[in-house]
Amino acid sequence: MRFALIGYGLGIFAGAFVATPEATHLYAYLGQGLGLALVLLLALRWRRLLPTKRVIPVLLMGFGATLGFLWHMSWASSILHRQLPESLEGINMLVTGVVVSLPQRNAIAQQFKFRIHQSDHQFSQRVILLNYYGEASIRGGQRWQFLVRLNQAHGFANPASFDYEAWLFQQAITAKGYVRTSADNQLLAARSLSLTTLRSQLRSRVQAAVADLAHGGIILALILGDRSEISQASWQQLTDAGINHLFVISGLHIGLIALAVFALADKLIRLLPATLLRLPAQKFGAILAILAAVAYGLLAGFTLPTQRAMIMIVVFMLGYLANRPLAISIRYLLALALVMTLNPLAVVSAGFWFSFIAVAALLLCLDLPRRDGHEASTGSRIIHRYIKPQLIVFVALALPLIFWTQQLPLLSPLINVFAIPLVALFVVPLCLLALLFLFINGALAQGLMFTADATLAAFFGFVEWILAVVGSGAVVHPAAPSLPIMVVLSFAALLLLLPKGVGNRCLAFALCLPLFSPAPDKFEPARLKLHFLDVGQGLAVVVQSRHHVLIYDTGANLSPEFNIGSAVIAPFLKQSGIGRVDLVVISHADNDHAGGLSGLMENVEIGAIISSDVSLGATMAIDACHEYDAWTWDQVEFQFLGAYAEAASNNDNSCVLQIAVGRHRILLPGDIERFSERQLAINYGDTLRSTILAAPHHGSKTSSSYAFIKMVDPEVVVFSAGYRNSFGHPHPEIVARYRRAGARVLNTSDTGMISFSFDTESAAMVTSLYRQQRPRYWR
């Protein structure tokens, strides 16, 4: 059975690398044929027509892999068939349906999932993600009629960035859009008989109860799994301390609740007369533990992380319910297979790997009961019960954390020793009791929540103190290791985690030496790299010479929770092993060019900032680009063009940066419009001729005049624009104008990140497009 389960998991994992939607249908048919062939082989072996038993594990693994791959393709194909057709993008659509999530509110909109029951364009029985900008308060479980405009699910595509499109696909969200202002928007029913309605009502009650508490957002997250009221700064602090997993309803909470119910039920049921017991106490305890886990998971909205935890608990409790208990390894593999069956694309999410790697490490390192009849000392019990598990999880998750997040919280084992029992065994039960008493005794509920809030305040005070004492050393940001080093470090972690006497731990420490070796040179000799990051409606360009890094514009600050500088640019730099940026150029002060600066400064050391607007509000001095002299880095020349005091607008006053490497020139003109284009053409003439041009103002009709395009004569023009943005950038007329001029047209919304590599000693230029390099069926 183990071989079949391992093969099944590998088959589902392999499905995540299928490149195109069309391939999912083809592989589904091929998998059916291969599956039939393996069934035939198994039948032949059963009839003893195959000569050796050694073929059985191979056949079982092959059959499992085929079945897993086939299931993944069938699951993916069913969701792909429900995606919004291109013909329905951007049109008005009247839909009726139900709000199936708790709306998340930001400064300008409410966002929620909406299940369409009927529409006027035969697009129904789908879940979509909507933004509502009106004044009505949307609540979970309400039935509405909306006039909407929808687009296909789309997200940014950059290395190290969160894969938003994969997340949407996992949630079976088939389109994104917004509610139009219209008299057709009507509330049809204030509530429906659903889990979402119940959670919405509970959230309203809890929000009212914690309104005056300093940590009300944390309490709401621990009760309902809704962390929308935890600020980004607070969440970052929890992440730095390595304890953010404690402040959402995660597998840890559900597991501890289930274990507590199991232990309590086991003890209490044994006190009952034997004549009343029809099942052993452990079986009663297991049933109640499963029910408790399911109830807490439903309270959290049955999200993917809670589904994982519930499945693992149910499978592991089967050991107490089954008359023939399954081995721990089989139960672990069975839980893994069931989670992957429920959502095959879970294999691309960090949480999936963190959960199962942590559980595997703890199972691998479980101590067997002492056989000599002696009990361990009190100190030894404390170490083995509280400290050792934290060290085990830290060692097991160190490499996955570096791979997925490019950071490693070194204080995590120390803080978790105190945090886990405090939060999971004291604060969470207090919060759940408070929720229960909200319907019985409001004063008692308030008292319980006040106690939880005071406990959290004391705990966060301790966390802030220890982070302040340790300073920047609390978190390290190593670059993502190469594949060979990952293999070596994985083997080292395995040796460290194996039981005492198995393996050589001295060898493990020796294998960790690559972590402390000098970092290799990040850039090839005599080479320039240019990356147009996919930041939606905005611009962010990373320029790398051999020893220097420049960033031209930083994208937008889209909300208090999402800043392009911290969410897109900083992860890319960290994955590339870049901890310091020599120079940041902000072309002008518009949000889509300057908004990401604050997020970038919080995550990366910056040497200097240059802008056309020296009053950006940054915490360091800003030099004016129009007064900045030309300079050279590593045989690459940089200069700002033009100085127009009489510029008609902030757009026309943008910093225009020209980069020269060998025979190639790159022109980054910000948002200049026709006025500045004409001045540049008059003042610089043929020296404007460029290999690569960032289209002025994202391809707006107010820019890219005929004269400017003729003078620049670009080989490649790059449009950095949002997918089907409301401005209509790039305008089709401008795109056609560049194509008639012979330029290759690239758009980040179509290609993802666009990278160019130049050899400073030759005429070579290499172009790479992220979506082409890493195609996936859900993109």
Side-chain angles (χ1 to χ4, degrees):
M1 187 174 183
R2 289 183 183 87
F3 289 104
L5 290 172
I6 291 171
Y8 181 78
L10 291 174
I12 288 183
F13 180 70
F17 294 91
V18 172
T20 64
E22 295 77 17
T24 62
H25 314 312
L26 173 63
Y27 287 138
Y29 290 122
L30 292 176
Q32 291 174 10
L34 184 57
L36 290 174
L38 286 170
V39 169
L40 178 60
L41 288 173
L42 283 171
L44 290 174
R45 179 65 192 96
W46 187 263
R47 300 291 295 177
R48 300 186 180 182
L49 297 178
L50 293 178
T52 175
K53 291 183 179 180
R54 294 180 181 177
V55 78
I56 288 292
V58 176
L59 288 176
L60 286 173
M61 186 173 288
F63 179 74
T66 303
L67 186 62
F69 188 78
L70 178 61
W71 168 246
H72 192 152
M73 294 300 96
S74 301
W75 174 84
S77 181
S78 68
I79 296 178
L80 287 167
H81 275 123
R82 299 200 301 272
Q83 296 290 312
L84 180 75
E86 189 175 349
S87 60
L88 296 183
E89 284 192 296
I91 66 171
N92 288 343
M93 185 185 302
L94 192 65
V95 299
T96 59
V98 175
V99 178
V100 292
S101 71
L102 298 182
Q104 307 297 308
R105 184 185 293 271
N106 58 36
I108 59 174
Q110 300 172 74
Q111 187 178 78
F112 52 90
K113 295 180 190 175
F114 188 76
R115 181 179 295 280
I116 301 176
H117 290 162
Q118 291 180 326
S119 80
D120 58 355
H121 283 78
Q122 298 183 340
F123 185 73
S124 58
Q125 304 307 317
R126 271 101 161 165
V127 176
I128 61 175
L129 190 65
L130 287 177
N131 284 322
Y132 175 74
Y133 300 93
E135 297 179 357
S137 180
I138 307 297
R139 296 183 181 274
Q142 289 180 336
R143 181 176 173 82
W144 279 87
Q145 175 179 278
F146 287 130
L147 184 69
V148 302
R149 279 193 180 177
L150 302 177
N151 290 324
Q152 293 179 343
H154 198 275
F156 304 147
N158 303 284
S161 294
F162 176 66
D163 194 338
Y164 185 54
E165 290 176 49
W167 181 84
L168 292 171
F169 203 92
Q170 289 182 63
Q171 308 290 323
I173 293 172
T174 56
K176 286 178 57 185
Y178 67 96
V179 179
R180 303 266 292 167
T181 301
S182 171
D184 292 323
N185 298 333
Q186 299 178 33
L187 176 63
L188 303 179
R191 64 185 64 183
S192 60
L193 185 62
S194 67
L195 175 64
T196 307
T197 299
L198 174 62
R199 295 185 70 235
S200 180
Q201 293 174 345
L202 291 176
R203 182 167 79 163
S204 297
R205 286 230 181 184
V206 174
Q207 283 177 326
V210 302
D212 298 326
L213 300 182
H215 301 93
I218 296 286
I219 294 173
L220 182 65
L222 291 174
I223 293 176
L224 293 174
D226 176 12
R227 67 180 186 94
S228 61
E229 296 190 16
I230 302 177
S231 69
Q232 188 63 30
S234 298
W235 189 253
Q236 186 59 52
Q237 185 185 63
L238 297 175
T239 302
D240 290 343
I243 55 173
N244 55 348
H245 62 286
L246 292 175
F247 296 98
V248 291
I249 298 180
S250 65
L252 175 65
H253 298 94
I254 294 177
L256 288 175
I257 290 291
L259 288 175
V261 169
F262 175 77
L264 185 63
D266 184 50
K267 297 293 184 185
L268 292 178
I269 289 173
R270 291 178 189 275
L271 299 177
L272 297 175
T275 54
L276 297 179
L277 298 179
R278 300 196 177 187
L279 284 176
Q282 284 192 335
K283 289 192 176 183
F284 271 118
I287 293 171
L288 292 177
I290 290 173
L291 292 176
V294 171
Y296 198 23
L298 291 175
L299 196 62
F302 205 55
T303 59
L304 292 178
T306 57
Q307 290 173 25
R308 285 198 299 268
M310 288 163 55
I311 288 172
M312 293 179 75
I313 288 166
V314 169
V315 171
F316 278 90
M317 285 296 174
L318 286 176
Y320 296 103
L321 295 175
N323 292 325
R324 297 178 60 186
L326 294 171
I328 284 286
S329 59
I330 292 181
R331 279 186 274 172
Y332 175 83
L333 292 171
L334 183 59
L336 183 67
L338 288 174
V339 168
M340 297 171 83
T341 300
L342 189 65
N343 196 303
L345 207 54
V347 298
V348 304
S349 64
F352 169 85
W353 294 100
F354 293 163
S355 297
F356 279 99
I357 290 174
V359 171
L362 290 171
L363 292 177
L364 182 65
C365 300
L366 281 176
D367 290 328
L368 294 175
R370 293 177 67 97
R371 298 178 182 276
D372 55 10
H374 298 288
E375 290 190 7
S377 65
T378 302
S380 178
R381 287 200 302 270
I382 291 174
I383 291 173
H384 281 76
R385 289 183 181 180
Y386 300 107
I387 299 177
K388 186 178 178 180
Q390 299 309 319
L391 295 175
I392 289 170
V393 171
F394 179 77
V395 170
L397 293 184
L399 189 58
L401 280 167
I402 293 172
F403 176 78
W404 285 98
T405 68
Q406 293 82 52
Q407 68 178 38
L408 186 62
L410 298 180
L411 296 177
S412 175
L414 172 63
I415 297 178
N416 273 291
V417 167
F418 305 99
I420 289 177
L422 179 68
V423 174
L425 300 180
F426 182 69
V427 175
V428 169
L430 274 182
C431 293
L432 294 178
L433 281 173
L435 176 66
L436 177 63
F437 280 107
L438 275 177
F439 300 90
I440 302 173
N441 187 323
L444 181 57
Q446 286 283 3
L448 291 171
M449 288 189 179
F450 179 82
T451 304
D453 183 70
T455 305
L456 289 170
F459 173 69
F460 286 138
F462 165 73
V463 171
E464 289 176 6
W465 173 78
I466 197 169
L467 288 175
V469 169
V470 177
S472 59
V475 183
V476 294
H477 299 278
S482 62
L483 181 59
I485 292 180
M486 283 185 64
V487 172
V488 171
L489 293 178
S490 299
F491 185 60
L494 181 61
L495 288 176
L496 288 173
L497 292 172
L498 286 173
K500 189 175 181 180
V502 180
N504 188 331
R505 293 186 178 178
C506 293
L507 176 59
F509 289 112
L511 291 174
C512 290
L513 289 177
L515 283 175
F516 306 99
S517 60
D521 194 346
K522 298 186 290 291
F523 313 119
E524 297 86 344
R527 190 166 287 271
L528 175 74
K529 294 181 180 179
L530 188 73
H531 307 284
F532 287 82
L533 297 179
D534 180 8
V535 296
Q537 187 63 22
L539 181 65
V541 185
V542 179
V543 183
Q544 300 171 269
S545 68
R546 183 171 184 181
H547 298 108
H548 298 277
V549 178
L550 178 149
I551 294 179
Y552 183 91
D553 283 343
T554 57
N557 182 22
L558 297 176
S559 73
E561 293 76 34
F562 193 87
N563 182 285
I564 292 294
S566 57
V568 176
I569 305 175
F572 170 75
L573 296 176
K574 290 174 183 177
Q575 188 191 63
S576 304
I578 299 171
R580 184 180 191 275
V581 175
D582 298 279
L583 181 62
V584 173
V585 178
I586 303 297
S587 63
H588 61 300
D590 284 0
N591 178 56
D592 57 333
H593 295 256
L597 179 61
S598 59
L600 183 65
M601 294 181 70
E602 291 171 359
N603 290 273
V604 179
E605 180 186 352
I606 294 174
I609 302 175
I610 296 175
S611 178
S612 62
D613 186 342
V614 297
S615 59
L616 284 176
T619 55
M620 59 188 296
I622 299 175
D623 296 323
C625 62
H626 298 316
E627 300 170 2
Y628 206 83
D629 294 332
W631 74 99
T632 301
W633 283 343
D634 308 317
Q635 304 177 50
V636 181
E637 299 172 1
F638 299 81
Q639 69 168 328
F640 291 106
L641 307 182
Y644 311 117
E646 72 277 17
S649 65
N650 286 335
N651 284 348
D652 267 324
N653 203 39
S654 295
C655 300
V656 179
L657 179 63
Q658 185 183 66
I659 305 170
V661 50
R663 73 169 186 86
H664 299 286
R665 286 190 179 91
I666 301 107
L667 190 61
L668 305 175
D671 275 359
I672 64 170
E673 299 178 340
R674 291 191 183 95
F675 172 82
S676 288
E677 290 179 350
R678 183 168 59 252
Q679 295 299 318
L680 286 171
I682 293 171
N683 292 344
Y684 294 95
D686 288 341
T687 59
L688 289 178
R689 193 174 302 276
S690 302
T691 305
I692 298 170
L693 170 67
H697 203 180
H698 318 287
S700 166
K701 284 188 70 176
T702 61
S703 305
S704 299
S705 58
Y706 284 105
F708 180 74
I709 293 175
K710 183 177 181 180
M711 196 61 68
V712 177
D713 191 23
E715 294 179 20
V716 180
V717 61
V718 176
F719 294 100
S720 183
Y723 179 73
R724 296 186 63 86
N725 61 85
S726 58
F727 303 100
H729 296 162
H731 194 279
E733 182 181 322
I734 300 301
V735 174
R737 189 177 298 172
Y738 278 108
R739 284 182 172 146
R740 286 195 298 269
R744 181 187 181 189
V745 172
L746 298 175
N747 191 331
T748 55
S749 66
D750 298 327
T751 64
M753 184 184 76
I754 302 169
S755 299
F756 301 94
S757 180
F758 304 87
D759 191 324
T760 59
E761 297 177 354
S762 70
M765 181 183 81
V766 178
T767 305
S768 60
L769 311 177
Y770 186 76
R771 287 184 185 270
Q772 285 187 7
Q773 278 188 324
R774 297 191 177 183
R776 297 292 186 267
Y777 69 78
W778 60 86
R779 290 178 183 158

